[in-house]
Amino acid sequence: MFSKILIANRGEIACRIIRTARRLGVRTVAVYSDADAEAQHRKLADEAVHIGPSPARESYLSGEKIIAAALATGAEAIHPGYGFLSENPDFVGAVEKAGLVFIGPSAGSIRAMGLKDAAKRLMEKAGVPVVPGYHGDNQDVGFLAVEADRIGYPVLIKASAGGGGKGMRRVERTEDFAAALESCRREAKSSFGDDKVLIEKYISSPRHIEVQVFGDSQGNTVHLFERDCSLQRRHQKVIEEAPAPGMSEAVRAAMTGAAVKAAQAVNYKGAGTIEFIADGSDSLRPDGFWFMEMNTRLQVEHPVTEAITGFDLVEWQLRVAAGEALPVTQEQIHIHGHAVEARLYAEDPAGGFLPQAGRIDHLAFGAGEGIRIDGGVIGGDTVSPFYDPMIAKVIAHGATRDAALDRLGSALGGTHIAGLATNRDFLRALSVDATFRAGRMDTGLIERDLDALLRKPEISEEVLLVAALAALEIDPQASHAEFRHWGEASRRVVLLADGESIERRVVFDEAGYRLIGGAAEARISGVSVGVPPSALPGISPSRGEIGRETASFTHSPPLRGRCREATEGGATTTGLTIAARTEQNGTSAHLTARVVITPTRVGKSVSVLLAGETFVFLHPDPLSGADAAHGGSGDILAPMTGVVRLVEVKAGDAVKAGDRLLVMEAMKMEHTLKAPRDAVVDAVLVAEGGQAEGGSVLVKLKDAADG
């Protein structure tokens, strides 16, 4: 076994590799860019080396810098993780030339499977079923059109060097083929530097099923069963599970046998995945699946395989790379229960799934039996705009598929994230989708049901009351704070949600608090206030356990009020849990809500988690006025991290106090920035559609007298 390895990656997968390496007594070296100077993988590793600026091409894609870092720190091997250089055969060659070990397959195996057309010809020779199509070298438009007619419509045009869903076009009829081919070639050239394509029969109701394979240098090859990755959006996997629903032993034997045959055809060593497309229009059939491609690396979704087999695939990678044989034979690998994984991203589903960047004010995951969290960030960290915006993977394991999905839904429902828009609610909706729960999904399910999956929960008066108490900084336990000799205490509150203003009055009397002004009234009484472990000062997930809730806390006498969670990036976040008895429309029930409050330049952001749903409000500061949107120098600053939706001025424009300059969208809410005084626009530093960090200068103003 190695004594020290370098991890040529970042984020979640780097933290995942470090966890296994530490268990095995292997020291780790992290590499990091400017953007990752405070990243968790850097802090978790035994050593860390800075390798360059934030853009990946100048840091994580620089093989020379990574190899130099390995040599300088005395690392014996390099683990590539996934993405970046993990499937670059030239990098593998350079690593080996430097006298280091690449923890993965050989350069030859990667090259053999790197181009889709060549890989499929190789698979045909090896007896692996391949989708009917044309994978040859003739790229003449007329010839390809004839081939498409021969295959039969609909067909799929795919970039030979493609991946990640890019360079793909579905064509329904002959008349549309030429235009689709031209479009596909443009995208392929731009994305991969190669406009060569292949044509395949388009499978209706396709299911994406893949098989985990593993080989060693002694010639042993095994499979660790299949994973179903059919829940996709624009060819990007969203939820994965193992084993595949509806998989019979006959189909499993045929599919896993074909996968092992494919790996043996390229003398594969290490972890790899053979991806198949299957006909999901009816029951799976032994003759109804076809080879798509091989991923010559560890997959993002490998934890579900680990959950059902009990093996650590990263440990296997290290042992095989060190020259050891596989630790078990095929007969010793069995399926135990069912596992499902959801990819939690900083992205805005309601805004077209646009990636989000900025500070995570609060991050707490739902816990429970059978739940595993593989994460790369904690509360207070920043999601960088330079890389994939994954926050974590939520993995649930249970005795049955229903049990695993129930646990996944519960864990997602208990996950509270504040500061950035995420796909948490979208994932939770998927976990309870009736078609998915019945196992009748295919790769088109999400697009067909997208409107229902994105439907927002109704904001109840109970939610508004909790948000109002937090926004007004009312301690529900400290009733003396609202004491009156007679009558009732009443305070007005304005909350913004999804760009709409909601006005209510919070009234206090001997029975508790109630909210008036809406279509219904809500009241809470018998309130207790507590602080969740994840909101305590100085408490963070333990070393090597990024994303897990490991902290515990007791306080005597009982803590009242709020507790500061962290002070990073200029913002102090507070968190609390409110438990109360509620009354609405004549009914009474118990309520438990988690609340996170973060100050912004224009007031407070209030995030409420209640009954598994997240609600985000902005409580504007009525005293801030125009000063909230500009600095003393006259610069207009971004009040929070968000997207610039509208720019209404340009350099040289004369503006009057109160004129709208631009509109930002953050946390699913629009905020208008206005001129604080009569002035002239000196410079506009943002463009429509661009991302702006909180506190950054958007527009510079100068007095008209300054010319």
Side-chain angles (χ1 to χ4, degrees):
M1 179 54 67
F2 307 111
S3 60
K4 183 188 288 189
I5 65 170
L6 181 141
I7 302 167
N9 218 295
R10 62 175 303 280
E12 169 270 321
I13 187 58
C15 295
R16 161 73 186 91
I17 296 166
I18 290 169
R19 187 162 60 245
T20 288
R22 179 170 291 118
R23 180 173 59 79
L24 297 176
V26 178
R27 292 180 61 80
T28 54
V29 179
V31 292
Y32 66 94
S33 68
D34 289 347
D36 282 338
E38 297 299 323
Q40 294 303 313
H41 75 280
R42 180 197 174 185
K43 298 176 181 178
L44 286 174
D46 297 297
E47 301 174 54
V49 178
H50 178 252
I51 55 170
S54 300
R57 63 181 178 276
E58 300 178 52
S59 50
Y60 296 107
L61 287 174
S62 175
E64 292 182 1
K65 291 180 180 179
I66 289 170
I67 292 171
L71 294 173
T73 55
E76 303 155 87
I78 295 178
H79 195 307
Y82 51 71
F84 293 136
L85 295 169
S86 62
E87 295 182 280
N88 186 319
D90 295 333
F91 177 64
V92 177
V95 168
E96 294 172 346
K97 186 177 180 180
L100 302 168
V101 176
F102 180 77
I103 302 175
S106 68
S109 295
I110 295 175
R111 284 196 177 92
M113 290 296 194
L115 292 176
K116 289 183 174 66
D117 51 355
K120 289 183 177 181
R121 289 195 295 269
L122 179 62
M123 291 300 99
E124 284 181 305
K125 291 180 181 178
V128 176
V130 175
V131 177
Y134 177 74
H135 312 125
D137 295 325
N138 191 335
Q139 295 291 296
D140 177 72
V141 175
F143 176 81
L144 293 176
V146 171
E147 286 297 304
D149 288 337
R150 177 186 62 81
I151 296 164
Y153 288 92
V155 299
L156 192 65
I157 306 173
K158 301 171 67 174
S160 294
K166 295 180 179 179
M168 300 177 68
R169 297 292 185 276
R170 176 181 172 179
V171 189
E172 298 286 346
R173 52 184 192 159
T174 302
E175 303 94 292
D176 301 329
F177 182 82
L181 175 63
E182 183 180 357
S183 174
C184 184
R185 280 178 165 167
R186 281 197 306 269
E187 185 171 286
K189 185 69 174 179
S190 173
S191 300
F192 314 112
D194 185 348
D195 65 357
K196 189 177 179 182
V197 301
L198 56 86
I199 303 172
E200 292 180 343
K201 176 68 177 175
Y202 182 82
I203 308 299
S204 60
S205 300
R207 285 180 61 181
H208 184 146
I209 302 176
E210 60 190 29
V211 176
Q212 177 72 60
V213 294
F214 228 106
D216 62 24
S217 55
Q218 282 78 24
N220 302 305
T221 307
V222 299
H223 69 81
L224 291 94
F225 304 105
E226 78 281 353
R227 298 183 288 255
D228 195 308
C229 307
S230 298
L231 274 191
Q232 301 180 8
R233 190 192 67 82
R234 297 179 183 174
H235 306 291
Q236 298 287 334
K237 299 170 187 175
V238 177
I239 290 182
E240 304 100 343
E241 60 183 305
M247 177 64 71
S248 69
E249 287 304 319
V251 177
R252 176 172 291 130
M255 191 175 287
T256 56
V260 169
K261 193 181 296 183
Q264 291 172 333
V266 292
N267 299 313
Y268 198 79
K269 182 184 75 171
T273 299
I274 309 298
E275 300 199 352
F276 296 101
I277 188 170
D279 183 355
S281 59
D282 202 350
S283 299
L284 296 173
R285 312 185 314 275
D287 63 347
F289 67 89
W290 303 272
F291 173 86
M292 284 199 302
E293 62 184 349
M294 182 178 191
N295 286 303
T296 52
R297 53 171 168 80
L298 194 68
Q299 290 281 86
V300 177
E301 58 270 23
H302 76 274
V304 294
T305 295
E306 293 182 326
I308 66 165
T309 62
F311 297 115
D312 184 331
L313 298 189
V314 173
E315 177 181 346
W316 280 28
Q317 285 187 298
L318 297 179
R319 293 193 180 283
V320 166
E324 297 182 27
L326 289 171
V328 297
T329 63
Q330 187 67 66
E331 292 71 27
Q332 295 172 294
I333 306 174
H334 305 284
I335 295 176
H336 303 282
H338 199 97
V340 60
E341 171 186 294
R343 301 186 185 191
L344 184 61
Y345 278 95
E347 63 182 12
D348 184 5
F353 292 87
L354 286 175
Q356 303 291 293
R359 182 181 185 269
I360 300 175
D361 294 327
H362 174 81
L363 176 59
F365 293 100
E369 183 180 357
I371 297 299
R372 164 179 165 179
I373 305 295
D374 280 14
V377 295
I378 63 174
D381 284 353
T382 296
V383 175
S384 168
F386 293 99
Y387 316 114
D388 183 83
M390 179 183 284
I391 294 173
K393 300 180 303 195
V394 181
I395 305 105
H397 181 239
T400 64
R401 184 172 186 264
D402 281 343
L405 287 171
D406 287 344
R407 288 176 173 177
L408 178 67
S410 178
L412 290 169
T415 295
H416 195 184
I417 307 169
L420 289 176
T422 74
N423 66 342
R424 191 215 74 128
D425 293 347
F426 171 70
L427 294 174
R428 186 166 178 264
L430 268 175
S431 73
V432 297
D433 179 81
T435 303
F436 175 52
R437 292 291 298 235
R440 300 195 306 271
M441 68 284 191
D442 58 40
T443 57
L445 184 150
I446 288 178
E447 295 303 326
R448 289 194 302 270
D449 298 345
L450 191 58
D451 289 344
L453 294 169
L454 294 180
R455 190 172 296 126
K456 295 181 180 179
E458 182 179 347
I459 301 175
S460 69
E461 295 298 305
E462 292 172 317
V463 171
L464 287 173
L465 179 52
V466 170
L469 292 176
L472 296 174
E473 298 186 3
I474 297 173
D475 182 347
Q477 286 182 306
S479 58
H480 61 276
E482 302 297 330
F483 175 75
R484 297 291 188 277
H485 284 294
W486 61 82
E488 60 183 16
S490 174
R491 292 181 64 182
R492 172 179 173 272
V493 64
V494 175
L495 298 170
L496 300 180
D498 293 326
E500 295 186 10
S501 178
I502 304 172
E503 183 175 343
R504 295 288 189 274
R505 281 201 168 271
V506 179
V507 177
F508 170 78
D509 55 30
E510 66 281 358
Y513 287 90
R514 58 192 173 96
L515 195 69
I516 62 174
E521 287 191 15
R523 177 188 292 275
I524 64 174
S525 58
V527 175
S528 64
V529 177
V531 181
S534 59
L536 297 173
I539 298 288
S540 62
S542 63
R543 186 176 175 86
E545 292 292 327
I546 288 298
R548 291 193 181 277
E549 288 288 332
T550 59
S552 61
F553 182 75
T554 58
H555 191 283
S556 183
L559 187 67
R560 298 165 76 177
R562 300 173 176 80
C563 179
R564 293 187 176 186
E565 178 183 73
T567 303
E568 294 186 31
T572 300
T573 295
T574 59
L576 73 157
T577 297
I578 294 179
R581 187 169 184 80
T582 70
E583 296 178 16
Q584 185 174 347
N585 296 329
T587 62
S588 178
H590 288 287
L591 168 152
T592 300
R594 284 163 56 181
V595 188
V596 173
I597 311 138
T598 306
T600 71
R601 291 181 178 273
V602 292
K604 303 184 191 79
S605 167
V606 181
S607 177
V608 178
L609 178 66
L610 179 60
E613 303 287 357
T614 304
F615 305 86
V616 180
F617 303 93
L618 178 66
H619 175 53
D621 182 356
L623 301 179
S624 64
D627 291 337
H630 69 89
S633 66
D635 296 339
I636 304 299
L637 308 179
M640 60 195 78
T641 298
V643 177
V644 178
R645 292 300 183 200
L646 184 67
V647 177
E648 298 212 13
V649 293
K650 62 182 182 301
D653 285 354
V655 296
K656 294 186 177 297
D659 283 354
R660 185 167 71 172
L661 304 179
L662 51 83
V663 175
M664 279 193 67
E665 180 183 310
M667 293 176 287
K668 302 182 182 180
M669 295 174 288
E670 287 193 348
H671 182 73
T672 299
L673 300 182
K674 299 180 180 180
R677 65 184 191 282
D678 294 353
V680 173
V681 177
D682 188 32
V684 178
L685 304 180
V686 292
E688 290 183 5
Q691 186 96 14
E693 293 292 325
S696 63
V697 179
L698 306 177
V699 177
K700 285 183 170 290
L701 298 178
K702 62 182 180 180
D703 292 335
D706 294 337

